[in-house]
Amino acid sequence: MNYNYDFEIASMVVMMIVLLHFLFVRQFPTDKTKTFFRLLLICIGECIFNILSCIGIANAALIPEVWNELFAFAFFALEGLCSYYIFRYVAVICQFRKRGNFLLKAAGILPFAFFEAMVLLTPLIGFFYYFEDGQYHQGFGAWYGYAYITYYFLLNLALVLIRRKVVSVRVKIIIFIYSAIAVGAVVLQYIVRGLLLTSTANVVVLLMLYLAMQNPDELLDTVTGLANEKAFLLQIKNMIENREKHDIITVYIRHFHHITSMLGFENGNQILTDVGTYLVKTCGKFHVFHNTEDTFTVLIASEKERKALEEKIQKRFSLGWNIQKNNVMLDMAMVIQHYPQDFSSISGYGSMWEYLLERAKSRGNQTVFETDARLLEKYRHRNKVELAVERAIRERGFEVYYQPIYSLAENRIVSLEALVRLHDEELGYISPEEFIPLAEKNGTVIQIGEQVLEECCKFLSKHVLSNESLGLENIHVNVSAVQCLRQNLKETIFPVLEKFHVPPNMISLEITEGTAIRAPELMLRHMRELGKAGITFALDDYGTGNANCSYLIRFPFGKIKIDKDILWAYFEKKSARIILQNEISTMKQLGLPVIVEGVENQEQRDEMERLGVDYIQGYYYGRPMPEMECLRFIRRNL
Ligand code: C2E
Ligand code: CA
Ligand code: CA
C-alpha cells in the first residue's frame, strides 16, 4: 500500500518553526517548559520516522528490508513516548505534585511500559507489525496501539476533571479540543486508508499548548534580563514540592536608591546589569534571580559550593563596580537560608526572609547573615509573639497600666500615661517594646490602639468623671505611626469618647517625632481636626530621632516629653548636659511645658527641677501600675 504523507511533511515544517522559536526566545526552565521541549522533540522524531517509513515502504524494492524495520521500530517507540509525554505535560499543568501520587504514576507509566516492551519484542514476535517479502503488515497487537492512544486521552480528560478547580478554562478547552482532533484523526485515517495524520493531530496540540504557554517574558526581569521574582517563586514552589535540598543566598544592596538618585537611572540599571552578569557567570544561568531592584537571589544545591560562592561574591563586591570611569562601592548584605531545615512552605520562606533581611539591613557592609539554631529560635519566638498579640486582640487580653505624671509646680499627680501590657500563658510577660513594632508591621497595632483607648475611657468615666475626682487633668495615650497614617484617625477616636461620655480634653495623644515626620501634611490635618474638639498632643521621645526645633513650631504640640535616654546621658556626658540644658531653655522660651521621662532618683528629680522642667514621669514617683493599684496610689498621694 502507498501512504499519503503530505500532511506529515506540512506538520514537520510547523513543528520545526515551533522548535526554532522555542530555542530563540529566552525560556526560563520550568517543569512545564522542560516537558514541552521534550514532547516537541519526540513529536518531531516521530514525524521523521513516519515519513521515512512511508518512503521506505513505497521503495521497498530499492532498499534493504532492515532499514524499513528500523524506521518502523523507531516510529513505534516514539509514538509510545509521545502519548506518555502529553500525559506528563497535562499532569504538570494540572499541578499534580511530582512526589507521591503513586496511583497516578502507575496509571501513567504502566501502559507506557507495556507499549515499549511490546515495541522491543515486535521484531521477534510481530506484535505491532511484521515485514513479509519487504512489505509492511499490521501485527496481531495493532489494536493495542489504538487502545493505548484512547487510554491516554481518557486519562488526560480525567486529570483535567479532577483538577478542574485549579486548571484554567483555556487549558480545559485545549485538552478537550485536542482529544476531539486526535479521535477525529484516528477515525479519518481509518476511513481514508493510507492517509497519515498522526503528526497533524500532534502539531495541532503542540501549537495550542505553545501559544497558551506562559509568555516567557513574564518570568524575566526587563532591566537585567535575569529570571525575575515570579520565576523565583515558581522555582521555590518546585523545590518544596519535590523536597530538593537547597541553599538560598539573597544578595541585598543597601540604599540602592541613593545610587540611582546620585548617578541616574540609566547608570543605576547598568550597575544592576553588571551585578547580574557577574552572578550568572559565577553561579550559573538559571540559578540567579533578580527579585526586586535591590535584591538578587541565588539557588544552590550543594553547601560546599555555596560557601565558595559566598566568598567569591564578597570579594567581588569589595572591588567596587565601574561606571563611567567611577568606581562605585555597593553596600551589600548576604542572607543565607537553607531548605528544608529553615522552612517548609513558601509563606514560611517569605516571612523568615523578611525577618532576616531586616536584621541584615542594620548590620555593616558585607554582612553575611546565615540562619542557625539561635536565629531560628529567635525567629520562632517572634512568630509566637505575633500569635500571642493576635490572640490577645481576639480575647481582649491586653491590660492597661497607668504611670503617674507628676507636676513639680503643683506637687501632685496631674496626669497618667497609659501603657499597654501583655501577659501570655506560654510566653509570660511580653514587653511592648517587643510586640508594638511587630504589631505595627502587621497592622494589628490599630486594634491594640482602639482597645487601649477604650480601657482609658472606661477608667476615666468610672473614676475621674465620677464624684470622686482624682485631680487628674487627662490621660496620655500613645498613638503609633500606623494609626496616624490612616486617613480616618478621628473616626476611630471620637466614637469611643462619645460611648463613655469622655470630654476630648481628657485625652492627650503621644506622638513620636518619627511619626510626625513620616506624613507631615496628614499629621497636621489630624492635629487640627482633633485639636479643635479639645484633644491635646504631646511630642514623645524628644531627642531620640532627627526632630529639631522646627517641628516644635510647625506642629501644635501642647507638651514635649524628653526621652529617658537623654536624661540618663545628661548625668554621664558633658555634651549631653549642654544639649539638654539648651533644649529645655528653648522650650521654656517657646512656652512649651516639658515632661522628663525616666526619672529614677532624687538627684535626677532635683536637677530637672533646677533646669525648670514642669513635669516628671519615672520610677521615682511611680512605676506603671494596674488600674486598682494606681487608684490606691493616687488617693494616697492626694
Ligand atoms: P514610651 O512611650 O516612651 O513609654 C515610656 C516607657 O518608659 C514605658 O515603657 C515605661 O514603663 C518606661 N519608664 C517610665 N519611667 C521609667 C523609669 O524611670 N525607668 C525606666 N527604666 N523606664 C521607665 P514600656 O511600658 O515598656 O513601653 C515601652 C514603649 O512601648 C513605650 O515607650 C511606647 O513607645 C510603647 N507603648 C506602650 N504602650 C503603648 C500603647 O498603648 N500604644 C502604642 N502605640 N505604643 C505603646
Ligand atoms: Ca509614650
Ligand atoms: Ca517616651
Side-chain angles (χ1 to χ4, degrees), residues 414-466:
V414 287
S415 181
L416 303 172
E417 177 174 4
L419 293 158
V420 68
R421 292 290 176 263
L422 174 57
H423 294 272
D424 184 70
E425 266 179 27
E426 186 194 339
L427 305 173
Y429 171 72
I430 311 170
S431 158
E433 309 240 28
E434 186 176 358
F435 72 81
I436 292 284
L438 288 184
E440 285 183 325
K441 269 201 203 86
N442 64 23
T444 46
V445 76
I446 295 193
Q447 282 116 296
I448 299 178
E450 282 166 8
Q451 293 189 10
V452 169
L453 182 67
E454 231 184 277
E455 287 303 311
C456 291
C457 289
K458 260 190 224 164
F459 177 90
L460 282 169
S461 95
K462 216 156 82 193
H463 307 292
V464 182
L465 302 167
S466 62

Side-chain angles (χ1 to χ4, degrees), residues 545-572:
N546 27 17
N548 50 42
C549 290
S550 72
Y551 284 92
L552 305 179
I553 303 165
R554 192 160 171 207
F555 295 96
F557 285 111
K559 288 193 180 92
I560 306 297
K561 291 188 83 172
I562 304 231
D563 188 70
K564 49 186 178 294
D565 284 337
I566 310 288
L567 168 81
W568 297 338
Y570 179 94
F571 292 91
E572 309 265 305

Side-chain angles (χ1 to χ4, degrees), residues 403 417-421 431-433 436 445 452 478-480 483 510 540-541 564 568 597-600 617-619 624:
Q403 186 178 25
E417 177 174 4
L419 293 158
V420 68
R421 292 290 176 263
S431 158
E433 309 240 28
I436 292 284
V445 76
V452 169
N478 291 287
V479 191
S480 122
Q483 286 170 280
E510 290 196 4
D540 202 0
D541 299 349
K564 49 186 178 294
W568 297 338
E597 282 182 340
V599 174
E600 291 184 345
Q617 178 182 347
Y619 293 175

Side-chain angles (χ1 to χ4, degrees), residues 453 457 460 474-475 477 497 502-509 535-536:
L453 182 67
C457 289
L460 282 169
N474 58 19
I475 287 194
V477 181
L497 302 193
V502 170
N505 65 2
M506 296 292 302
I507 297 291
S508 175
L509 299 180
I535 290 178
T536 53

Side-chain angles (χ1 to χ4, degrees), residues 1 32 46 62 189 206 230 342 350 391 410 428 466 511 536 540 587 595 623 634:
M1 178 158 71
K32 207 155 106 180
E46 187 189 357
L62 303 174
Q189 274 192 156
L206 282 170
K230 195 167 177 181
D342 299 354
R391 199 162 43 235
E410 296 180 48
S466 62
I511 291 159
T536 53
D540 202 0
M587 286 172 212
I595 305 174
R623 289 179 176 254
I634 300 172

